[in-house]
Amino acid sequence: MSFFNLYRHNFVRIAAAIPEVRVADPVFNAEQTIGLMKEAAARQALLVLFPELGLSGYSCEDLFHQQALLNASEEALARVVTASRDIPVIGVAGMPLRVESLLFNCAVVFYAGRILGVVPKTYLPNYREFYELRQFTPGDFAPRDLIDIAGQHGVPFGSHLLFRLEKMPLFTFHVEICEDLWVPIPPSSLAALAGATVLVNLSASNITVGKADYRRQLVANQSARCMAVYAYTAAGIGESTTDLAWDGHGMIYENGICIAESRRFSYRQQLVTGDADLDRISLDRMRQNSFSQAAHRYPETSTFRIVPVAAEPPCDGAVPLERVYERYPYAPAEPATREERCREIVDIQVQGLVQRLRAIPADKVVIGISGGLDSTQALIVCARAMDVMGAPRTNILAYTMPGFGTTPRTLEQARRLMAAIGCTAREIDIRPSCTQMLKDIGHPFAGGQPVFDIAFENVQAGERTSHLFRFANMHNAPVVGTGDLSEIALGWCTYGVGDQMAHYHVNASIPKTLIQYLIRYAAGAGDLGAAASAVLLDVLGTAISPELLPAREEGQPAHDTEAVVGPFALQDFYLYYTLRFGFLPQKVAYLAWNAWHDRSRGDWPDIPEHERHQYGIAEIKKWLEVFLRRFFEESQYKRSALPNAPKVGSGGSLSPRGDYRAPSDAGASTWLAQLNAIPDSDPPL
């Protein structure tokens, strides 16, 4: 299967169909069902679901007691099932079905000319506008668990059926019908505990004011609580409006996130598709071990029957992912959501620092200011913390310490920033003390040789940290660390007597790309003052560099961080899907390619034109190798000794006391071997 085929990476495309119906006209309804099945197959979906009682129409009322309608419905099913021989998609259609002398509201699952199983509705509403108990029997009253239907014998029947794809076992789905979702413990809850990763709901659900939002809440919450995909479709155009109206609401949620939704009140039939990530479901359940504990508490989960499905996922050539993955997973693309997220992140950072200061106790902080991104955000947090504590910002003891590689731009930005914030600012030239240290250790630079090695760099980083800790001793003020999650993940920090160490970190679970958004948010808010906003924007436009090597003659830094460790846009993307989900490297590469290869995509929130990039699979593979080696093999010993810091996002932190515990001497070969499965060139257009 092609690397660029979504099914190779355990995605499954699900289609929610909303056909036009004619009440009590199964022949017409069967034709619409077949047409939408063909469309679903053409769009390379593997599963398509239709509304409740869609072959007959939901609003037939007492017509369900007419033998002619029941016979015609079964004939319509036979027609649909026969047509499915040439349509490579699993179908789930709704119909009324007699079993002995009882009538059930059923969902029929079929594929390639065979009926795989029939699921009766468990809970029948009989309140307000609903009178289903007048016509139907609850599924629990089923007289047998195998039935004959549409010329097929021994078809599994019951609400405890799980349909499992033989060639894609993570794709195991369960079917429930409308009201089943509206009860305190839906049948799908038990099905999820029994192993279903995809939950399917055939609904009719008439529309009243505000009901659509309530449906969304139900579906979103059920998918999140069950850690599952939940696909839902409801009746639309053509149902009787004698007393009710219908909006044709279809939607697909994955673990609380909407991945597809129909346009309500459409006067044409619709088919919406969503690409669901089964790996995410499986890995989330594995991590959240309370899920398996819940399964153990409900013995009913052992009563589910597995129905094998011999369906073939579309595997010829590339099947592009329709689902859009944000390039910056730590920062929402939607501006209003992003602003709200930024406010909350700063509140978390400030709350963490304030609590630590009160616990020491201390009313001052010591911080080093470089004029770059990380120390800028940390200084903003310190200023907010002083405001919360009712302390003057002069209690922020800020030090900028230019070294051999400090550029005029960053030095000037550090000076302007400290002045704009209103902290107590001091400038210390560390070159004399660094020269003495280099002389003491016999480094060639002290003898006049231009040797700029790791020792040369880290003497400067260590000297800065040493100064800060001694100032902390003098003033009873903790050192606030400035390093971010991206640098910690890649080991891009000086261990021990260096920027890896502090009394308390505030940025340690915030990646570089998110820090850029936080600073941009602070600049836009303007509540730090116009002078502060101006320098914040200048900081955002500054090249990312540790500035530990002598600057070029034109005043530009000689050290480009991203040329060494890779673009932070990619590295943060890799980190999120590796740390949050534990995905295979080849899947991380596939997601990165889908997010980054197309420059024409419009989700470049607030990114200037000259900073916009695109990355093909070859470049994605190159920097992924750097990430895997640095993350898994080279940097854990630094993370094992991290200072305290608040966890900020669900993307995780790397604290050895929190989200991530790993041996410092592990190798990366297991992950690096995965790179062989990643191609070296993009597919042809």
Side-chain angles (χ1 to χ4, degrees), residues 506-545:
V506 292
N507 293 337
S509 67
I510 304 176
K512 188 79 73 179
T513 51
L514 182 53
I515 281 182
Q516 291 171 319
Y517 280 109
L518 291 170
I519 294 173
R520 189 173 285 113
Y521 163 73
D527 53 356
L528 292 171
S533 292
V535 70
L536 293 180
L537 293 175
D538 287 343
V539 168
L540 287 171
T542 304
I544 299 173
S545 171

Side-chain angles (χ1 to χ4, degrees), residues 47-65:
L47 174 71
V48 58
L49 56 143
F50 294 87
E52 178 181 12
L53 296 170
L55 290 180
S56 59
Y58 175 82
S59 50
C60 291
E61 301 196 66
D62 283 353
L63 296 182
F64 285 122
H65 286 160

Side-chain angles (χ1 to χ4, degrees), residues 471-665:
F471 284 125
N473 297 151
M474 288 176 59
H475 299 287
N476 188 36
V479 175
V480 174
T482 62
D484 64 50
L485 181 66
S486 308
E487 294 180 346
I488 293 168
L490 297 166
W492 192 249
C493 53
T494 302
Y495 181 75
V497 185
D499 54 322
Q500 180 256 0
M501 189 50 61
H503 288 115
Y504 194 74
H505 270 302
V506 292
N507 293 337
S509 67
I510 304 176
K512 188 79 73 179
T513 51
L514 182 53
I515 281 182
Q516 291 171 319
Y517 280 109
L518 291 170
I519 294 173
R520 189 173 285 113
Y521 163 73
D527 53 356
L528 292 171
S533 292
V535 70
L536 293 180
L537 293 175
D538 287 343
V539 168
L540 287 171
T542 304
I544 299 173
S545 171
E547 295 193 341
L548 296 174
L549 300 177
R552 301 186 185 124
E553 291 183 3
E554 64 272 21
Q556 296 299 314
H559 218 167
D560 183 344
T561 297
E562 292 183 296
V564 178
V565 301
F568 281 111
L570 284 182
Q571 299 295 19
D572 285 355
F573 191 97
Y574 301 155
L575 176 62
Y576 181 83
Y577 288 103
T578 299
L579 181 60
R580 170 65 180 84
F581 299 110
F583 285 159
L584 293 172
Q586 60 177 288
K587 180 161 185 169
V588 174
Y590 176 71
L591 295 178
W593 182 81
N594 277 279
W596 286 98
H597 80 279
D598 183 3
R599 197 176 190 279
S600 66
R601 267 179 44 175
D603 61 334
W604 296 96
D606 305 328
I607 301 297
E609 178 70 29
H610 69 278
E611 295 181 15
R612 301 182 183 184
H613 303 285
Q614 66 184 102
Y615 301 103
I617 195 64
E619 196 166 7
I620 286 168
K621 181 177 180 179
K622 168 189 171 182
W623 292 119
L624 180 57
E625 180 177 4
V626 171
F627 172 83
L628 296 174
R629 196 176 302 280
R630 296 187 71 101
F631 183 80
F632 286 107
E633 190 169 277
E634 298 177 0
S635 306
Q636 181 57 35
Y637 76 98
K638 296 182 180 181
R639 298 192 288 266
S640 293
L642 278 180
N644 295 173
K647 177 180 176 180
V648 169
S650 62
S653 78
L654 289 170
S655 167
R657 300 164 298 277
D659 274 11
Y660 192 75
R661 297 165 176 84
S664 296
D665 48 7

Side-chain angles (χ1 to χ4, degrees), residues 23-68:
V23 177
D25 189 347
V27 173
F28 175 84
N29 298 336
E31 289 302 315
Q32 308 314 303
T33 299
I34 292 169
L36 285 172
M37 286 169 55
K38 291 178 179 178
E39 183 179 344
R43 292 171 62 175
Q44 295 171 302
L46 186 55
L47 174 71
V48 58
L49 56 143
F50 294 87
E52 178 181 12
L53 296 170
L55 290 180
S56 59
Y58 175 82
S59 50
C60 291
E61 301 196 66
D62 283 353
L63 296 182
F64 285 122
H65 286 160
Q66 293 292 318
Q67 189 172 3

Side-chain angles (χ1 to χ4, degrees), residues 335-382:
T337 304
R338 192 169 63 251
E339 283 198 13
E340 181 181 350
R341 183 75 54 84
C342 288
R343 281 194 294 270
E344 186 172 24
I345 289 169
V346 174
D347 285 343
I348 292 170
Q349 290 180 285
V350 171
Q351 198 273 338
L353 180 56
V354 168
Q355 173 59 26
R356 179 51 54 94
L357 292 174
R358 288 175 174 171
I360 289 174
D363 60 358
K364 297 179 180 178
V365 295
V366 169
I367 185 172
I369 304 300
S370 69
L373 291 166
D374 296 342
S375 63
T376 294
Q377 177 59 23
L379 182 57
I380 292 171
V381 172
C382 290

Side-chain angles (χ1 to χ4, degrees), residues 39-357:
E39 183 179 344
R43 292 171 62 175
Q44 295 171 302
L46 186 55
L47 174 71
V48 58
L49 56 143
F50 294 87
E52 178 181 12
L53 296 170
L55 290 180
S56 59
Y58 175 82
S59 50
C60 291
E61 301 196 66
D62 283 353
L63 296 182
F64 285 122
H65 286 160
Q66 293 292 318
Q67 189 172 3
L69 179 61
L70 299 179
N71 289 346
S73 296
E74 192 161 343
E75 291 167 3
L77 173 67
R79 183 182 182 89
V80 169
V81 172
T82 299
S84 74
R85 293 173 182 168
D86 301 316
I87 307 174
V89 64
I90 303 166
V92 189
M95 65 173 292
L97 181 66
R98 288 169 296 180
V99 177
E100 297 182 357
S101 59
L102 303 177
L103 184 63
F104 295 92
N105 178 344
C106 292
V108 181
V109 181
F110 54 91
Y111 176 75
R114 298 293 300 172
I115 298 173
L116 304 176
V118 179
V119 180
K121 187 173 183 176
T122 301
Y123 294 97
L124 301 178
N126 221 59
Y127 54 85
R128 292 197 287 271
E129 64 263 45
F130 303 109
Y131 296 95
E132 288 189 29
L133 279 172
R134 180 181 176 94
Q135 290 97 26
F136 297 104
T137 301
D140 290 344
F141 291 20
R144 59 182 63 204
D145 57 14
L146 294 174
I147 62 172
D148 299 337
I149 178 174
Q152 296 186 28
H153 303 288
V155 175
F157 180 70
S159 58
H160 282 201
L161 299 180
L162 300 182
F163 300 87
R164 177 167 295 164
L165 200 69
E166 293 177 333
K167 293 193 174 181
M168 198 177 184
L170 281 184
F171 181 35
T172 300
F173 67 93
H174 171 267
V175 183
E176 62 187 7
I177 302 174
C178 200
E179 186 75 8
D180 292 345
L181 175 61
W182 296 63
V183 300
I185 304 178
S188 57
S189 294
L190 298 176
L193 294 175
T197 54
V198 176
L199 311 174
V200 172
N201 189 305
L202 278 59
S203 180
S205 191
N206 64 297
I207 185 60
T208 54
V209 173
K211 191 174 182 180
D213 285 338
Y214 190 67
R215 285 194 207 112
R216 292 187 188 100
Q217 292 175 19
L218 281 175
V219 172
N221 287 335
Q222 185 67 355
S223 73
R225 189 178 301 277
C226 293
M227 285 186 279
V229 177
Y230 202 100
Y232 175 98
T233 187
I237 187 68
E239 289 287 359
S240 173
T241 56
T242 299
D243 291 299
L244 303 173
W246 316 85
D247 62 339
H249 198 177
M251 51 188 152
I252 303 169
Y253 275 74
E254 176 190 289
N255 206 356
I257 299 172
C258 182
I259 60 174
E261 185 168 4
S262 68
R263 184 168 65 87
R264 296 168 54 232
F265 297 108
S266 173
Y267 288 87
R268 295 181 179 180
Q269 61 186 16
Q270 295 183 74
L271 185 83
V272 295
T273 58
D275 296 340
D277 187 347
L278 302 181
D279 279 335
R280 178 184 179 182
I281 299 303
S282 176
L283 291 167
D284 271 351
R285 290 180 177 183
M286 179 183 70
R287 276 187 176 80
Q288 191 166 319
N289 52 22
S290 55
F291 185 89
S292 60
Q293 294 173 38
H296 182 71
R297 288 178 177 270
Y298 289 91
E300 301 96 315
T301 58
S302 64
T303 65
F304 280 84
R305 291 179 282 165
I306 303 293
V307 178
V309 182
E312 293 279 350
C315 57
D316 292 335
V319 178
L321 197 63
E322 292 179 349
R323 181 171 174 176
V324 173
Y325 277 82
E326 292 184 5
R327 294 183 171 101
Y328 303 96
Y330 290 99
E334 201 281 316
T337 304
R338 192 169 63 251
E339 283 198 13
E340 181 181 350
R341 183 75 54 84
C342 288
R343 281 194 294 270
E344 186 172 24
I345 289 169
V346 174
D347 285 343
I348 292 170
Q349 290 180 285
V350 171
Q351 198 273 338
L353 180 56
V354 168
Q355 173 59 26
R356 179 51 54 94
L357 292 174

